[in-house]
Amino acid sequence: MPLLLVILDGMPDRSLNGKTPLSVAKKPNMDALADLGVNGIMDVVAPGVRPGSDTSHLALLGYDPYKYYTGRGPIEAAGVGIEVKPGDVAFRANFATVEGEGSIFEKVVVDRRAGRIQDTKELIKAIREEVELPVDFYIERGSGHRAAVVFRGEGLQAEVSDVDPKVVGAKVKKANALNEEAQKTAEIVNEFVQKVHEVLDKHPINEERQKAGLPKANALLLRGAGIAPRIPSFKDKYNLKLCVIAAAAIVKGVGAIVGGKTVTPDGATGNKFTDVNAKLKCALRELKHSDVVLLHFKATDELGHDGDFDGKREFIEKVDSAFEDLLNLDACIILTSDHSTPVKTREHTADPVPIAMVHENVRRDEVTKFSEFEAFKGGLCRIRGLDVMNIALDLLDLAKKFGA
Ligand code: ZN
Ligand code: ZN
């Protein structure tokens, strides 16, 4: 029997006059899952620790983020489809507009998003074909003006400063080595940034953009260096096949970095317009080939960051409307979140998240509604994110005995 792990990113909230978007949402199917299952609350990383979506998803898959998390760069790079290997140094990158004379490091950033350019495919192709470096590099586009860059070679280090000055009107920064061993990496990054600028500045797409009065996408600003972690694959750790269904690069990246399959079905957008039925259908299909399917919805987090109480409630209701088929599904189902994103805070908080586990082996409790205010009355009590896979494996009779 497979495991379906359903995550509504940032769904839980703090009480506003005794209400949360989840507690007031009309969500008969989620409530039915809570009713059928055992419920509890969960500190996804640890009590009082505010998780990122990357560290929390590592924990939910059973990987201690304090041991394996080395920064967002490698996870995002894996999320946009670069095959990241241990020791690779990964960066997040923005296509940007620079102006001035001389080398790129004498030029000024006039638009950090190059007019929010959408299609960077041809520019990336030119970078791949024309830039030569003493080490291998890989580049993939993210959404809009975003991209990820990975360098692979002997002796690379992540201790280098950002090229991105992060403000308009400032000069492009040289990457500096933050320790002696990172000198070579800093030099390679600077060489890369200069050569990319030379390729992009004269590219026909940018000449056309200039004629049309649009800012040229003539620079790639690198930031957030991180070294790819040495992390056991999901297959090696559990002998199980993982599939992650998500649109958000950071969540796909966690799946990819542990060797899982990642799928973004048509219609999945990573925002409130996402096609929830397409995602659910995809999950039901993938459950036939995978042992563990992580089905992720992003918009609850976004709407929390926007401070949009009603939007969050409406999105929870929209997701619920696709969940009817889950009630009779022959699988262990876990319904939960990766952290709270309260509409008042507009940021992630450490408030524990509700969790419901449905399987024929659970000790069903008296909780009948899925909400922050009911979950803690259930039989799971209070667990940590790292406990989820262990508990699921035990329910599925896949756990090994500890001791004699
Ligand atoms: Zn999140
Ligand atoms: Zn967030």
Side-chain angles (χ1 to χ4, degrees):
M1 192 187 277
L3 166 64
L4 175 64
L5 187 55
V6 183
I7 313 285
L8 274 76
D9 203 303
M11 164 182 60
D13 218 285
R14 286 180 172 170
S15 169
L16 278 172
N17 303 321
K19 293 177 181 144
T20 64
L22 180 64
S23 73
V24 297
K26 288 195 181 57
K27 44 169 182 30
N29 297 314
M30 292 188 199
D31 289 341
L33 290 171
D35 187 18
L36 286 169
V38 64
N39 296 267
I41 55 174
M42 172 164 64
D43 300 291
V44 181
V45 173
V49 175
R50 294 183 161 188
S53 292
D54 41 15
T55 50
S56 59
H57 277 82
L58 280 171
L60 290 169
L61 293 174
Y63 294 87
D64 184 350
Y66 289 106
K67 192 167 168 194
Y68 294 112
Y69 184 65
T70 56
R72 187 169 169 174
I75 289 175
E76 289 231 350
V80 296
I82 301 178
E83 197 192 331
V84 181
K85 296 191 171 159
D88 287 355
V89 173
F91 290 83
R92 305 169 69 201
N94 282 356
F95 279 89
T97 311
V98 297
E99 283 178 8
E101 297 299 322
S103 84
I104 187 165
F105 303 105
E106 290 161 84
K107 296 189 180 178
V108 169
V109 178
V110 295
D111 188 334
R112 284 189 65 239
R113 298 180 184 91
R116 290 199 175 269
I117 185 167
Q118 288 300 316
D119 190 359
T120 57
K121 214 160 135 192
E122 288 301 315
L123 298 176
I124 283 184
K125 190 165 164 245
I127 293 169
R128 283 193 195 123
E129 284 169 3
E130 293 171 43
V131 172
E132 282 187 26
L133 290 181
V135 296
D136 292 336
F137 74 89
Y138 305 87
I139 175 166
E140 282 293 342
R141 59 199 285 237
S143 57
H145 57 281
R146 298 180 195 88
V149 180
V150 165
F151 298 98
R152 182 174 300 158
E154 283 297 304
L156 294 179
Q157 300 277 333
E159 285 74 25
V160 293
S161 63
D162 292 344
V163 169
D164 185 352
K166 299 198 182 98
V167 282
V168 167
K171 280 186 183 167
V172 176
K173 286 179 161 175
K174 264 195 168 157
N176 284 318
L178 304 175
N179 65 33
E180 232 166 78
E181 290 83 63
Q183 195 58 44
K184 174 183 164 183
T185 313
E187 282 165 19
I188 286 168
V189 168
N190 291 330
E191 184 179 339
F192 177 75
V193 170
Q194 172 63 32
K195 286 182 169 168
V196 166
H197 174 53
E198 288 163 17
V199 169
L200 293 180
D201 201 48
K202 62 173 171 48
H203 195 281
I205 285 181
N206 275 325
E207 283 172 5
E208 277 166 37
R209 285 179 71 83
Q210 200 168 27
K211 272 186 213 147
L214 293 168
K216 285 168 128 183
N218 62 357
L220 200 58
L221 302 179
L222 272 54
R223 68 195 149 99
I227 195 148
R230 213 163 276 285
I231 188 164
S233 74
F234 199 79
K235 183 92 193 136
D236 286 347
K237 188 173 164 69
Y238 299 113
N239 197 26
L240 296 174
K241 261 163 81 179
L242 170 70
C243 174
V244 172
I245 301 168
I250 197 166
V251 174
K252 286 168 77 179
V254 171
I257 217 157
V258 300
K261 173 180 172 186
T262 61
V263 185
T264 306
D266 285 343
T269 57
N271 61 29
K272 65 182 174 184
F273 303 110
T274 201
D275 184 343
V276 289
N277 290 306
K279 275 181 122 164
L280 203 87
K281 269 199 197 117
C282 177
L284 298 179
R285 212 166 43 236
E286 291 300 331
L287 280 166
K288 297 196 175 103
H289 324 286
S290 301
D291 305 299
V292 177
V293 172
L294 189 158
L295 174 61
H296 177 263
F297 297 92
K298 178 70 182 162
T300 26
D301 176 58
E302 270 197 3
L303 293 159
H305 286 292
D306 293 344
D308 185 351
F309 187 104
D310 287 327
K312 209 171 160 182
R313 173 184 54 75
E314 281 163 18
F315 186 72
I316 292 167
E317 292 174 350
K318 177 176 165 175
V319 173
D320 187 80
S321 70
F323 276 6
E324 211 180 318
D325 286 347
L326 293 186
L327 302 180
N328 299 309
L329 189 67
D330 199 17
C332 175
I333 302 173
I334 297 179
L335 173 63
T336 188
S337 184
D338 59 340
H339 50 77
S340 301
T341 310
V343 293
K344 209 170 93 186
T345 327
R346 297 186 173 212
E347 241 319 324
H348 304 182
T349 66
D351 300 275
V353 304
I355 176 167
M357 287 189 176
V358 183
H359 185 266
E360 60 189 13
N361 288 343
V362 300
R363 292 186 188 137
R364 205 171 150 184
D365 56 33
E366 288 171 6
V367 174
T368 57
K369 280 202 153 47
F370 188 65
S371 93
E372 298 89 338
F373 306 123
E374 299 297 321
F376 76 92
K377 300 174 187 165
L380 266 182
C381 303
R382 188 166 184 155
I383 62 170
R384 291 199 187 198
L386 277 178
D387 301 328
V388 168
M389 277 302 298
N390 287 338
I391 296 172
L393 294 180
D394 178 51
L395 289 173
L396 291 164
D397 290 327
L398 294 169
K400 289 195 189 78
K401 184 158 65 177
F402 175 49

